[in-house]
Amino acid sequence: QSVLTQPPSVSAAPGQKVTISCSGSSSNIGNNYVSWYQQLPGTAPKLLIYDNNKRPSGIPDRFSGSKSGTSATLGITGLQTGDEADYYCGTWDSSLSAVFGGGTQLTVL
Amino acid sequence: EVQLVESGGGLIQPGGSLRLSCAASGFTVSSNYMSWVRQAPGKGLEWVSVIYSGGSTYYADSVKGRFTISRDNSKNTLYLQMNSLRAEDTAVYYCARGPNSGSYYYWGQGTLVTVSS
């Protein structure tokens, strides 16, 4: 049981937009920055979004992040087959530990 | 270029010990927060431990008292000493630089630890 709650799966057609939600509490998301990671099969996680809505160098602007209260959302527009992956949200918790969501599997139909 | 390379994983019997290493290049381990994150087969990410630049260490409840995070500044390497291993410790273990504002920008490729008799 993960501390942060994500939908297990989402799907959309190529070229469409999809959003992935991440729900937490005041001890984590509510008082800390949220980050998002993409994990392709057999590879290490890759940072997509940090500080709620910032993109590291090299991440296309098709990926966006937002946060409101104790929830956060990852948005992906112009879906491509190469976007098929698992996506995780993460943040810091007042218990002095990092916490992650359970992951969302994105299928591009 | 920042690189993190883990090693030391393998098959170990329940109750055994293993030490993972994470060799860093392109930055100084002792000047950064450094963490271990694991992922059980087919499961999500689970934070394991962090060592702050000042030397303070913190652990997930699931490993507290069994795992020890440390670093060797002369070798610019991060370690995870794992004792009293259990089947539920089976996972790919990643080292990561951070958290920075709660984020992990750099990750290693991971090393697989399998605890089984």
Side-chain angles (χ1 to χ4, degrees):
Chain A
Q1 189 79 357
S2 300
V3 174
L4 306 181
T5 301
Q6 297 180 234
S9 64
V10 295
S11 63
Q16 296 300 303
K17 174 183 177 178
V18 71
T19 60
I20 298 173
S21 60
C22 175
S23 177
S25 69
S26 58
S27 68
N28 41 67
I29 290 179
N31 285 284
N32 292 286
Y33 287 120
V34 176
S35 51
W36 289 91
Y37 304 88
Q38 177 193 62
Q39 188 176 35
L40 299 169
T43 68
K46 174 184 178 181
L47 182 65
L48 285 180
I49 298 290
Y50 68 99
D51 290 0
N52 301 333
N53 55 19
K54 297 182 174 64
R55 286 176 284 106
S57 173
I59 301 300
D61 59 7
R62 299 189 299 108
F63 296 90
S64 63
S66 64
K67 173 187 145 178
S68 177
T70 59
S71 295
T73 301
L74 173 70
I76 311 173
T77 59
L79 277 172
Q80 303 173 1
T81 55
D83 296 331
E84 286 203 334
D86 293 325
Y87 292 84
Y88 295 90
C89 57
T91 187
W92 195 245
D93 190 274
S94 59
S95 61
L96 297 180
S97 66
V99 290
F100 295 97
T104 298
Q105 183 178 52
L106 169 63
T107 301
V108 181
L109 302 167
Chain B
E1 180 193 7
V2 171
Q3 272 198 314
L4 296 166
V5 179
E6 301 97 334
S7 60
L11 176 62
I12 186 76
Q13 291 190 338
S17 298
L18 210 56
R19 189 179 81 159
L20 305 183
S21 300
C22 172
S25 58
F27 72 99
T28 302
V29 165
S30 62
S31 298
N32 286 269
Y33 292 5
M34 296 294 298
S35 300
W36 289 96
V37 177
R38 69 184 180 183
Q39 186 171 35
K43 302 296 184 182
L45 302 173
E46 180 188 15
W47 175 80
V48 173
S49 181
V50 62
I51 182 167
Y52 289 171
S53 50
S56 298
T57 59
Y58 297 92
Y59 300 91
D61 288 343
S62 58
V63 307
K64 201 172 295 182
R66 300 187 298 124
F67 290 11
T68 302
I69 189 171
S70 64
R71 66 192 180 206
D72 185 327
N73 297 345
S74 66
K75 295 182 178 179
N76 208 34
T77 297
L78 178 73
Y79 300 101
L80 186 67
Q81 177 67 43
M82 304 186 297
N83 299 329
S84 303
L85 282 161
R86 307 166 179 167
E88 54 265 36
D89 296 318
T90 294
V92 174
Y93 285 74
Y94 297 100
C95 71
R97 193 176 92 174
N100 299 99
S101 301
S103 299
Y104 298 94
Y105 194 108
Y106 297 103
W107 297 70
Q109 85 287 354
T111 186
L112 176 62
V113 173
T114 303
V115 184
S116 175
S117 55

